[in-house]
Amino acid sequence: MRYYIAVVHKDEASAFGLHFPDVPGCFSACDSMDDMIGNGAEALSLFAEHAALPEPRSIEQIRSDADVRADLAEGAFLVAVPLIENDTKVQRVNVTMERGMLKAIDAAAKARNLTRSAFLAQAARREIEN
C-alpha cells in the first residue's frame, strides 16, 4: 500500500486543512482530527481517478522541502495518508475465521442492511484509514 505525506494546517477557529506536496492540487479539510485520515484518503482516491499519481516520497524527502519546512515552522504537522484506489473490479476471496465471529459479522451486517462482503469492506476501510 502506498502512503502519501500530507501537510496539515490548523488556524484558530478554522477547519484542519490538508495538502499533499507530492500531489499538487490535491487537498482536503475536516473539522475533527478523527476525520483527517479518512478525508485525506478520499481526496487521494478521487484525485487518482482523473490523474496518475507520482510515487510518494519518503517523509525525510518531504521534510527537506523548503515549503514544507516553512509550514512546519508555522505550526503545521505531517500525517501519512493511505491511498486506497477506487478499483470497481470485484474479486472473490476466501477468508477463514471463528464461527462466532462470522455470526457476529452477519448480525451486524444485517442490522445495517449490508451484505457480509460490504460490511467487511467497510470495516477494513475504516481500519486502514484510522
Side-chain angles (χ1 to χ4, degrees):
M1 175 172 301
R2 292 191 298 180
Y3 288 83
Y4 286 84
I5 303 301
V7 178
V8 182
H9 300 267
K10 172 73 168 98
D11 294 329
E12 195 171 318
S14 74
F16 292 93
L18 290 78
H19 77 274
F20 299 88
D22 285 342
V23 190
C26 183
F27 57 90
S28 183
C30 58
D31 292 323
S32 164
M33 286 187 79
D34 293 338
D35 297 328
M36 190 178 304
I37 303 299
N39 286 14
E42 180 181 24
L44 283 172
S45 294
L46 292 172
F47 198 91
E49 288 181 2
H50 304 288
L53 298 183
E55 283 299 312
R57 292 179 293 159
S58 71
I59 194 165
E60 292 80 14
Q61 291 170 313
I62 296 290
R63 282 188 186 135
S64 71
D65 282 358
D67 290 341
V68 172
R69 282 196 317 267
D71 288 338
L72 295 174
E74 293 176 6
F77 58 96
L78 305 177
V79 295
V81 178
L83 171 62
I84 302 173
E85 296 182 52
N86 290 330
D87 183 350
T88 58
K89 184 176 180 184
V90 176
Q91 183 169 346
R92 186 175 183 85
V93 297
N94 183 20
V95 296
T96 303
M97 64 184 70
E98 296 173 355
R99 190 179 328 198
M101 177 58 72
L102 188 58
K103 287 180 182 179
I105 288 168
D106 288 344
K110 183 177 181 181
R112 292 167 176 80
N113 293 318
L114 296 172
T115 64
R116 179 188 294 162
S117 294
F119 179 83
L120 289 173
Q122 282 184 1
R125 179 176 290 275
R126 267 194 311 276
E127 185 64 24
I128 291 167
E129 291 175 353
N130 292 318

